[in-house]
Amino acid sequence: MTDKTDVKSLTLKELEQQLTSEGYPKFRAKQMYEWLLKGVTSFDEMRNIPSDLRQFSDTRYYISVATIEKKLISRYDKTVKYLFSLHDGEFIEAVVMSYHHGVSMCISTQVGCKMGCTFCATGKSGFSRDLTASEMLAQLEAAQRDLNVRISNVVLMGMGEPLDNLDNVLRFIELASEEKGLHIGARHITLSTCGIVPKIYELAEKKLQINLAVSLHAPNDEIRSRTMPIAKAYPMSQLLKACRDYFDATGRRVTFEYSMISGVNDSDENARELAQKLSGMNCHVNLIPVNTVEGTGYKKSNIQRQQSFVNILAAKSIAATVRRTLGSDINASCGQLKRNHIKEGGK
């Protein structure tokens, strides 16, 4: 496939330009685009496309797909977790969650992750490669076809670090926003990062209207560096300055993700220190009871600790909420389904 172009990573305009340069009518590109949105896996399935164009396309392009390998549905809240297989045999995970405001999907941006956060299952499987923009789209398309729903909100918070694959992520955002495509507006797309400071500035330059979520998970460098190796490269002072500068450049409020780990980062003192660090910033803190991941020894903070943390932040005028836990019975955080599948002998 390396000598072929990934057709689903092209915009409609780019596909039109390529086909017209080969002598084909412009409207053929729109027909092909519509077939791709329907989830065809080969050009032969495009019944209203002439055979010569199908043959030409097969020699020039390939169609990226995400095949459902496993599917788990929560008994409690109908959250759906997918394990997808890709064309090269790699596996990625994604989660579909239903809210009153619509259906959200948390998708992967890489196969594995390099960041090594100690509370995350994904990094324990190592890193294989970046996903293409079309492989990100393919996750949405596969879920929409399988569940017969429209995904209205996308969170780039599955396997991988989005800013470590920024070029493909930016192309994904462009494609997902296309009116003739999935038509998911930028304000309905959230990018979650562990905090690669130079890439935050690079993203800010684009002035996109997406939502930026930064995984903080600690009130200081000492605790953060124990759980997140990235903290050794970019201390909190640099990271928080980048977030303030991001808001100044885009006007978009930053969300800070904070995993509540019992006895590690959830004390009242931790809450007061965090409030001091975030003072004056236009932000929101999303407190997340940590997921149980084999081998970490971490336990989530109890409800009383969570509420005390929220109250202290609120008293200091820092907006904070505890994220509702969905899919708890199917290990809905990404990375765990893949690890279990491989342990069971899945290829």
Side-chain angles (χ1 to χ4, degrees):
M1 288 189 183
T2 54
D3 59 339
K4 296 183 180 182
T5 298
D6 179 358
V7 68
K8 287 172 68 175
S9 285
L10 298 175
T11 64
L12 175 57
K13 184 176 180 180
E14 289 169 339
L15 185 57
E16 287 174 346
Q17 291 172 340
Q18 291 193 14
L19 293 189
T20 54
S21 70
E22 296 292 335
Y24 293 102
K26 184 177 177 180
F27 75 90
R28 292 299 184 193
K30 185 174 184 294
Q31 289 178 320
M32 288 180 62
Y33 208 73
E34 289 171 346
W35 280 112
L36 293 170
L37 285 173
K38 292 177 182 178
V40 297
T41 58
S42 73
F43 294 101
D44 285 339
E45 296 176 63
M46 300 180 178
R47 294 186 296 273
N48 61 346
I49 302 296
S51 60
D52 65 318
L53 177 52
R54 279 182 272 151
Q55 291 169 7
F56 165 80
S57 299
D58 198 43
T59 61
R60 171 73 69 88
Y61 307 112
Y62 72 90
I63 300 174
S64 179
V65 296
T67 303
I68 299 173
E69 194 75 23
K70 281 190 176 181
K71 174 184 175 183
L72 302 178
I73 305 175
S74 171
R75 299 188 304 272
Y76 305 133
D77 50 46
K78 304 305 179 185
T79 294
V80 180
K81 184 168 187 178
Y82 290 104
L83 179 70
F84 294 118
S85 59
L86 304 176
H87 69 86
D88 57 356
E90 294 285 3
F91 296 102
I92 55 173
E93 296 180 32
V95 181
V96 178
M97 300 153 287
S98 295
Y99 297 94
H100 68 277
H101 55 73
V103 180
S104 294
M105 187 169 185
C106 179
I107 67 170
S108 295
T109 56
Q110 295 178 312
V111 181
C113 187
K114 305 173 189 173
M115 299 299 115
C117 300
T118 59
F119 47 80
C120 176
T122 297
K124 296 183 180 300
S125 300
F127 173 81
S128 297
R129 66 174 177 85
D130 292 331
L131 295 186
T132 64
S134 69
E135 287 173 324
M136 297 176 213
L137 283 173
Q139 298 169 64
L140 296 169
E141 293 164 351
Q144 289 190 148
R145 289 193 303 272
D146 181 58
L147 300 174
N148 193 28
V149 298
R150 180 181 182 273
I151 306 295
S152 56
N153 297 275
V154 181
V155 184
L156 305 175
M157 196 189 286
M159 297 171 66
E161 163 56 56
L163 292 187
D164 191 41
N165 186 20
L166 184 55
D167 287 345
N168 283 318
V169 164
L170 290 174
R171 172 48 64 108
F172 162 76
I173 293 170
E174 180 183 8
L175 292 170
S177 302
E178 279 217 327
E179 186 177 352
K180 299 295 184 181
L182 296 178
H183 200 197
I184 300 173
R187 288 175 180 263
H188 296 276
I189 298 175
T190 298
L191 185 156
S192 176
T193 175
C194 68
I196 304 177
V197 168
K199 294 291 186 178
I200 292 176
Y201 281 106
E202 189 176 336
L203 182 65
E205 290 176 0
K206 307 297 181 183
K207 295 189 177 353
L208 301 175
Q209 290 299 293
I210 63 170
N211 305 299
L212 178 65
V214 176
S215 296
L216 205 56
H217 305 313
N220 57 54
D221 288 324
E222 192 277 324
I223 296 176
R224 195 165 191 264
S225 62
R226 276 192 272 142
T227 55
M228 302 180 71
I230 192 74
K232 297 172 184 176
Y234 307 109
M236 279 185 66
S237 58
Q238 289 183 20
L239 176 59
L240 294 181
K241 182 180 185 305
C243 292
R244 294 176 194 274
D245 291 343
Y246 181 88
F247 173 79
D248 290 341
T250 65
R252 302 293 291 163
R253 182 178 73 167
V254 176
T255 294
F256 290 107
E257 307 283 357
Y258 194 104
S259 289
M260 296 285 287
I261 309 173
S262 180
V264 175
N265 65 352
D266 65 343
S267 69
D268 287 354
E269 181 182 352
N270 295 151
R272 286 190 286 269
E273 185 176 6
L274 180 65
Q276 188 274 325
K277 293 277 177 66
L278 301 183
S279 179
M281 186 181 297
N282 192 327
C283 66
H284 178 268
V285 178
N286 190 13
L287 299 171
I288 309 167
V290 74
N291 292 293
T292 301
V293 176
E294 183 182 343
T296 66
Y298 293 147
K299 294 182 180 179
K300 67 182 178 182
S301 307
N302 61 40
I303 294 175
Q304 291 76 19
R305 271 289 84 226
Q306 295 171 30
Q307 192 56 54
S308 178
F309 213 95
V310 168
N311 292 343
I312 291 171
L313 292 178
K316 300 293 184 179
S317 301
I318 305 294
T321 52
V322 177
R323 188 170 78 182
R324 185 160 61 103
T325 300
L326 296 178
S328 58
D329 57 325
I330 56 172
N331 290 330
S333 62
C334 281
Q336 301 187 73
L337 186 55
K338 176 183 175 180
R339 290 183 74 204
N340 292 339
H341 182 70
I342 292 173
K343 280 183 180 179
E344 293 165 4
K347 301 296 184 182

